[in-house]
Amino acid sequence: MNRRQELVVVATMALLVLTGVSLLVLRPTRQAVAEAHADRDAAAAESQTLRDQVRALEALKADEAKLRAQAQLARSEFPPTPSLPALVDALQDAASQAGVDLGSVAPSTPKTSTIQPELAQIDTSVNVSGGYFEILDFLTRLENLVKGDVGQGRVAARSVLVQSVDVSRDTGATSTGGAAASTASGSASPDTLKATITLAVFQRAGSAGAPATNTGAAQATQVR
Amino acid sequence: MTWGSPQGYRQGPPLINLLPREIGERRLVRRQRTAVGAAFAVLLALLGCWYLLERGQLADARREADSEQAVAAGLRVHKTQLQPYADLSAEIAAGEQLRTRVYATEIRFSSVLRDLSAIMPDNVWLTKMTAAPTSTTGGATGTTGSVPSSGASTATGGTTPPGSPGADSPAATITFTGAGLGHVDVGQLLRALASGPKNGGQPVYLNPYFTSSQKAAEAGGEPTVTFSASVDLSKAAYSGRFQPTGQQGTVTP
């Protein structure tokens, strides 16, 4: 090997050493730097997302009282149990405030709702008697039960859907009234009408309380 | 060297190298080795600097990543503390969703009763009225026993003719029995129902129909007729309560 070749070999070896150093030491370090940057970016992105979520939650916290009231309303609209005492209270209050006589309340056994499978439906037949406009007022109060604004007192919101209404002359009424007895016109009528109102009352299905069945045949009639 | 060669232009005396050739070559080799060694050392030093620089950057990046992760961890803890509010919000949203679905096809029968009291002609009065959604009107429409059942098709399987009970896929049906002073008053009731309230330009009351109008015994010296009739409620009768904006509507007489 002459000197020139020796020199080329030495230079090549030196270059190999340098390349080896850069591959073995610098490259892993650079990879570690890139990984650390990626970690930092991921953490920064997560922080930003969390910051947005926390900001939204802080906004909710600011309206805590309103939030709790709304949640309470949602809970009472669709209670986890049939909650029949509250329903009877609500019906009685609505009847008293409307000026109708609440004759009977007959809730059926809860069954899975055809409207929303998450709910159980209690078909309830309500009989009232009173004047046309008193019955109309009672119906309005029933329809507004979902908002919990039947009036003052003990009535909580409850999801109630009026399914059918049957109004007829109350044959058991003492007044006779003649031909214009059961008028639905705007003229005032002293006659008493009888209304059978079918309600769908809702509760959450699959929770504690009465199990939701598909039969709904049995009825527990509460007659005043 | 000859006159006229390029070196002939050099100023001063001619240079004569008296060193032996081997010594010159040795010097050249030594110089080349030194140059290679120096270059190697310089490159090694540069690599060392680069490495130090990278280590510094790595330390900075790790510090920044740790700092951001600490911030994220703090925010996670804060978020966990605020989680009950998120749960409440989710509960409210779920309740609203249920309410929206339950009331999607609600008909406010109080509005129907109010409408009827407003449009009822003077010489007509009702003795019985049944209102029920079409899906459950099997019993409701059957109460009078004389009104054809609602639905898009008749019992024979044909299409329901326009204007007859059950045409245009009604949402509900109201059946009446009542009395009037004459047959024309029954017609007037049907006319009043046909031109009844509208919701969003759509008629609320569809297919008014009567199945009987019969002269009855005179009441108080005045002849009367008794009748059985029905009217369907279109989908415009849906209250639209608790529905997303754009799907709401109110019945306007």
Side-chain angles (χ1 to χ4, degrees):
Chain A
M1 187 185 292
N2 62 24
R3 281 174 186 145
R4 184 173 290 277
Q5 285 172 332
E6 184 187 308
L7 199 67
V8 169
V9 168
V10 167
T12 307
M13 282 178 70
L15 272 175
L16 282 174
V17 167
L18 288 170
T19 309
V21 166
S22 75
L23 281 176
L24 292 174
V25 178
L26 282 168
R27 204 170 162 200
T29 312
R30 294 200 74 188
Q31 276 177 352
V33 170
E35 279 168 17
H37 279 148
D39 288 350
R40 180 199 61 191
D41 293 346
E46 190 192 358
S47 294
Q48 190 52 50
T49 308
L50 285 166
R51 223 168 267 131
D52 292 343
Q53 289 172 348
V54 164
R55 203 174 297 129
L57 290 172
E58 290 281 6
L60 288 177
K61 189 184 175 187
D63 286 335
E64 186 180 351
K66 190 179 160 192
L67 203 65
R68 286 194 188 282
Q70 283 179 337
Q72 181 58 40
L73 185 72
R75 254 175 253 135
S76 78
E77 275 176 24
F78 301 101
T81 60
S83 196
L84 292 182
L87 176 66
V88 170
D89 284 353
L91 293 174
Q92 183 58 67
D93 282 8
S96 302
Q97 286 163 16
V100 295
D101 185 33
L102 184 64
S104 69
V105 180
S108 67
T109 311
K111 61 182 181 193
T112 305
S113 169
T114 50
I115 299 171
Q116 183 66 29
E118 288 171 50
L119 297 173
Q121 184 174 323
I122 305 166
D123 291 328
T124 305
S125 178
V126 178
N127 279 298
V128 293
S129 53
Y132 184 85
F133 290 100
E134 282 74 26
I135 290 172
L136 195 157
D137 186 22
F138 178 67
L139 267 178
T140 307
R141 288 174 190 277
L142 288 185
E143 288 164 351
N144 287 338
L145 259 182
V146 66
K147 294 189 281 184
D149 63 356
V150 156
Q152 303 81 25
R154 57 194 170 160
V155 175
R158 186 72 191 260
S159 182
V160 167
L161 203 58
V162 177
Q163 289 195 309
S164 69
V165 179
D166 188 302
V167 184
S168 59
R169 286 180 63 183
D170 189 356
T171 49
T174 49
S175 66
T176 52
S182 304
T183 182
S185 70
S187 59
S189 167
D191 278 2
T192 305
L193 303 175
K194 185 182 72 183
T196 302
I197 300 163
T198 310
L199 305 174
V201 183
F202 296 95
Q203 72 165 92
R204 282 179 195 272
S207 53
T213 64
N214 281 315
T215 57
Q219 292 196 343
T221 308
Q222 301 175 3
V223 181
R224 272 185 71 214
Chain B
M1 181 180 298
T2 55
W3 296 108
S5 69
Q7 286 154 345
Y9 295 107
R10 190 182 286 159
Q11 296 294 316
L15 293 173
I16 301 165
N17 191 354
L18 298 176
L19 275 175
R21 199 175 168 182
E22 292 79 21
I23 292 174
E25 278 179 4
R26 242 182 274 136
R27 274 188 185 170
L28 182 65
V29 168
R30 202 182 306 129
R31 232 181 277 135
Q32 283 173 340
R33 280 180 181 166
T34 308
V36 167
F40 179 74
V42 166
L43 282 174
L44 206 60
L46 280 175
L47 280 177
C49 289
W50 190 5
Y51 175 72
L52 289 176
L53 205 69
E54 289 287 339
R55 293 294 299 182
Q57 279 183 353
L58 178 61
D60 287 348
R62 280 200 179 136
R63 207 176 306 117
E64 285 173 12
D66 289 347
S67 162
E68 284 291 349
Q69 277 165 356
V71 170
L75 286 167
R76 265 197 297 272
V77 170
H78 195 183
K79 190 190 160 193
T80 308
Q81 287 166 347
L82 294 169
Q83 192 55 37
Y85 301 103
D87 295 343
L88 280 178
S89 184
E91 193 181 349
I92 293 166
E96 281 172 0
Q97 209 174 14
L98 281 178
R99 205 197 295 150
T100 300
R101 287 186 201 147
V102 164
Y103 286 87
T105 54
E106 183 204 28
I107 294 169
R108 295 197 75 167
F109 289 105
S110 60
S111 300
V112 171
L113 261 63
R114 204 169 288 122
D115 288 346
L116 290 178
S117 70
I119 64 178
M120 196 61 63
D122 287 341
N123 297 332
V124 177
W125 57 96
L126 302 179
T127 53
K128 182 174 171 59
M129 187 196 82
T130 301
T134 305
S135 55
T136 58
T137 48
T141 52
T143 52
T144 59
S146 52
V147 178
S149 63
S150 299
S153 302
T154 59
T156 54
T159 311
T160 308
S164 60
D168 296 331
S169 306
T173 300
I174 307 172
T175 55
F176 317 100
T177 55
L181 294 181
H183 294 301
V184 287
D185 295 322
V186 179
Q188 234 178 4
L189 168 65
L190 298 194
R191 244 180 253 119
L193 288 168
S195 58
K198 287 183 167 56
N199 183 11
Q202 298 295 311
V204 173
Y205 297 93
L206 293 174
N207 315 322
Y209 204 82
F210 78 95
T211 50
S212 78
S213 177
Q214 192 166 354
K215 201 161 249 179
E218 293 185 5
E222 204 167 4
T224 59
V225 294
T226 56
F227 66 89
S228 296
S230 72
V231 67
D232 291 332
L233 291 176
S234 73
K235 289 183 172 62
Y238 290 147
S239 70
R241 284 203 298 173
F242 313 118
Q243 303 307 304
T245 315
Q247 294 175 32
Q248 296 163 324
T250 50
V251 176
T252 50

